[in-house]
Amino acid sequence: ACFRLLCSLLIPALFLSGILCVCLVVLLWGMRLWIQQRKKQLSSAGRDGKRPLLVAFFHPYCNAGGGGERVLWCAIRALQKKYRNVTCVVYTGDRDATGEEIVEGAFRRFNIKLIHPVKFVFLEKRYLVEASLYPHFTLLGQSLGSVFLGWEALLKCVPDIYIDSMGYAFTLPLFKYLGGCHVGCYVHYPTISTDMLSVIRNQDTRFNNAAFITNSPFFSKCKLVYYYFFAFMYGLVGSCSDVIMVNSSWTLNHILSLWRAGACTSVVYPPCDVQSFLDIPLEVEKSTSEYSIVSVSQFRPEKDHPLQIRAFAKLLKEKRVGQQPSLKLILIGGCRNQQDEERVNNLKCLCEELGVSNDVMFRINIPFEELKRHLAEATIGLHTMWNEHFGIGVVECMAAGTVILAHNSGGPKLDIVVPYEGHVTGFLAEDEDDYAETMAYILSLSPEKRLEIRENARRSVHRFSNQHFEDTFLLSVEPLFK
């Protein structure tokens, strides 16, 4: 009787599930056909009668001043150089600026001049990917939000080739299966990594792991299950990409582990404008009245600017009066939104609290020439992000001739601050004491010894040049154009 009851319930349930699956497939197929029809209606032929190939980059924050934006503009310039019948499209949420202002900003910040105009598709729902909208389950919330934002992008412009250049992997299946596009991505930083899983597993307190979770075994286990589920979904959507580019060995290891698509994955180091910095004359320091320590990175929580300020305060406190020249810490970076501006205000409060306000300068959204001048005058280049995926700021500091001090993890450890032809190119540190001690050690070196390290660093950065990026990027995306 029980078996008969079970069968009477199970068979209709299976039948209903089958019907729903068929309906879903038909619905998705219908949507794909509708989108393809829409694409034909919106597209127009060029002067030679041929319809240009549309290559779209999904970059909702394209007017920000970080390394991801440098990759975007260099990638577009590389495509414009190689392919004549290509129109580049940028999906952006920067509705407070015109297309001309965005392009001008790219030139002013990065010294990148595009060869042909770019088409901008302005998105209205960028707020859906803002972390502030999801105080809990932020990763999942932002990822689902990116799907809706991607849907808006797809409805406004259906490209032939779609490249996610900002890390929104959940948009990839949308453009591949509904948009019928060839899809590629450039991964700056995995949305979730095995390092993040270990942070939760070990109950470490970090900016993305609150103390109330680390203090509770139950909440830690719940978060771990959520992270493993998210990692599985992230691997699923990422693996549908036709071309996967990653920016460093560190990112490569995580993406291979999560996406398992080694055949179409390659390392493409991000472009660093090393030549502009290599133009700075490299000489033995003449002035010893003041040393400046410069940090170049966006004002985001993971960059850990408080560590820089605390280490600098410790350095000032421990140096003996009259033994060393005066020191200045200059924090250079981009502010993307109000949250970043609030972060800067909090950092200024921290400076007051530690009594170093007069010794710390904030330079926000500055033009390229001013950045170059600060780096030319600096003695130490400072970088404190744990597991930085790459570190363009680190390369720029080395190219400009500063003695770099970066975090002993991620890209700086594996790819950048590594011995060159057996010679030291810079230094690595991990915590506040480590940073303060290493800064003191660098300042204690003779100007001749520092010059030797700076020269080694300069020789090592040619593999991160714009030209090297263009060559490897074009080679990687070639399958998308076949």
Side-chain angles (χ1 to χ4, degrees):
C2 287
F3 178 73
R4 218 176 296 121
L5 177 64
L6 190 64
C7 285
S8 66
L9 292 173
L10 189 60
I11 290 170
L14 288 172
F15 180 74
L16 187 61
S17 299
I19 293 288
L20 289 173
C21 285
V22 170
C23 289
L24 183 62
V25 169
V26 170
L27 178 65
L28 292 174
W29 185 252
M31 286 170 69
R32 180 185 167 107
L33 291 176
W34 175 68
I35 288 169
Q36 293 306 306
Q37 192 62 37
R38 186 179 174 83
K39 179 180 179 178
K40 287 176 186 174
Q41 290 170 355
L42 294 175
S43 62
S44 57
R47 290 178 186 174
D48 57 358
K50 292 181 181 177
R51 190 183 70 81
L53 200 67
L54 284 184
V55 181
F57 290 83
F58 191 76
H59 209 104
Y61 296 91
C62 75
N63 202 30
E69 288 67 59
R70 169 176 280 284
V71 168
L72 170 70
W73 302 119
C74 278
I76 289 173
R77 184 175 62 182
L79 291 177
Q80 289 180 343
K81 279 183 187 177
K82 181 170 181 179
Y83 299 101
R84 292 184 64 186
N85 196 39
V86 157
T87 297
C88 291
V89 177
V90 178
Y91 297 118
T92 178
D94 294 299
R95 293 186 297 147
D96 56 345
T98 64
E100 291 78 11
E101 287 170 343
I102 292 171
V103 171
E104 173 57 32
F107 176 66
R108 186 169 48 85
R109 289 181 185 127
F110 306 120
N111 203 28
I112 296 170
K113 196 165 184 66
L114 301 179
I115 301 163
H116 303 297
V118 172
K119 180 184 174 185
F120 289 92
V121 175
F122 291 93
L123 306 175
E124 296 172 16
K125 296 182 175 62
R126 189 177 71 177
Y127 65 89
L128 291 173
V129 296
E130 293 278 357
S132 57
L133 192 64
Y134 312 100
H136 307 292
F137 301 101
T138 310
L139 292 179
L140 189 60
Q142 284 183 292
S143 297
L144 292 174
S146 74
V147 174
F148 287 102
L149 190 63
W151 177 246
E152 182 192 346
L154 186 59
L155 290 183
K156 287 186 173 179
C157 176
V158 186
D160 300 291
I161 295 170
Y162 171 79
I163 299 174
D164 164 42
S165 52
M166 210 177 163
Y168 293 105
F170 282 75
T171 62
L172 294 168
L174 192 68
F175 280 82
K176 181 167 185 173
Y177 300 117
L178 291 184
C181 313
H182 293 289
V183 300
C185 60
Y186 188 95
V187 184
H188 298 275
Y189 195 84
T191 305
I192 191 166
S193 66
T194 50
D195 289 321
M196 290 167 73
L197 292 171
S198 69
V199 165
I200 309 301
R201 203 164 37 239
N202 299 332
Q203 295 180 240
D204 291 340
T205 303
R206 293 198 181 254
F207 76 91
N208 60 349
N209 196 34
F212 82 89
I213 291 176
T214 60
N215 295 333
S216 166
F218 173 73
F219 282 128
S220 287
K221 281 185 174 61
C222 289
K223 187 166 185 178
L224 194 60
V225 169
Y226 157 58
Y227 266 36
Y228 272 113
F229 167 74
F230 185 84
F232 170 75
M233 295 299 296
Y234 182 59
L236 211 58
V237 297
S239 62
C240 79
S241 188
D242 301 310
V243 165
I244 302 164
M245 294 167 281
V246 297
N247 65 346
S248 68
S249 303
W250 182 86
T251 309
L252 175 70
N253 294 335
H254 288 287
I255 290 300
L256 288 178
S257 169
L258 293 164
W259 291 12
R260 303 185 186 279
C264 57
T265 306
S266 57
V267 176
V268 178
Y269 288 130
C272 309
D273 193 9
V274 294
Q275 194 52 54
S276 292
F277 294 106
L278 292 172
D279 292 340
I280 298 169
L282 202 58
E283 301 167 349
V284 177
E285 304 147 33
K286 292 172 186 172
S287 170
T288 53
S289 59
E290 181 181 275
Y291 288 137
S292 67
I293 299 165
V294 170
S295 157
V296 182
S297 58
Q298 283 185 310
F299 289 100
R300 303 206 307 259
E302 64 270 24
K303 297 297 182 181
D304 206 353
H305 288 90
L307 174 57
Q308 298 178 6
I309 294 167
R310 288 196 303 270
F312 179 69
K314 197 173 187 70
L315 175 67
L316 286 182
K317 189 178 178 183
E318 292 182 357
K319 83 178 183 81
R320 294 174 191 169
V321 179
Q323 188 182 15
Q324 291 178 353
S326 62
L327 299 174
K328 185 76 73 179
L329 174 63
I330 304 170
L331 303 179
I332 301 172
C335 274
R336 303 162 300 170
N337 47 39
Q338 192 181 342
Q339 285 91 347
D340 287 356
E341 287 168 12
E342 287 172 7
R343 208 164 283 120
V344 169
N345 289 332
N346 291 338
L347 292 172
K348 288 177 179 176
C349 291
L350 178 62
C351 290
E352 287 178 16
E353 189 184 311
L354 297 173
V356 294
S357 293
N358 296 331
D359 305 296
V360 180
M361 283 174 59
F362 289 84
R363 306 298 297 137
I364 298 160
N365 296 333
I366 62 173
F368 180 76
E369 286 305 316
E370 189 179 342
L371 165 68
K372 192 173 171 180
R373 180 172 57 79
H374 281 300
L375 285 176
E377 295 168 357
T379 301
I380 297 174
L382 194 60
H383 186 273
T384 48
M385 180 176 168
W386 171 74
N387 271 341
E388 169 72 89
H389 37 102
F390 179 73
I392 287 180
V394 175
V395 174
E396 289 176 344
C397 286
M398 290 167 73
T402 69
V403 179
I404 191 67
L405 173 55
H407 199 280
N408 189 28
S409 62
K413 178 183 181 180
L414 296 174
D415 292 310
I416 306 172
V417 191
V418 294
Y420 180 73
E421 295 179 353
H423 300 292
V424 174
T425 58
F427 299 90
L428 299 166
E430 290 186 19
D431 55 31
E432 186 182 317
D433 292 337
D434 206 2
Y435 271 97
E437 286 169 18
T438 310
M439 281 191 282
Y441 172 73
I442 294 167
L443 294 170
S444 73
L445 295 172
S446 67
E448 291 76 20
K449 182 61 181 173
R450 279 199 295 268
L451 179 63
E452 186 185 314
I453 295 169
R454 291 156 66 203
E455 286 173 341
N456 294 337
R458 271 200 161 182
R459 283 196 294 271
S460 75
V461 297
H462 287 286
R463 61 212 163 97
F464 307 122
S465 66
N466 285 342
Q467 189 57 52
H468 190 266
F469 167 80
E470 286 187 11
D471 294 341
T472 52
F473 173 78
L474 290 172
L475 193 64
S476 297
V477 297
E478 211 170 89
L480 298 177
F481 289 83
K482 290 177 180 175

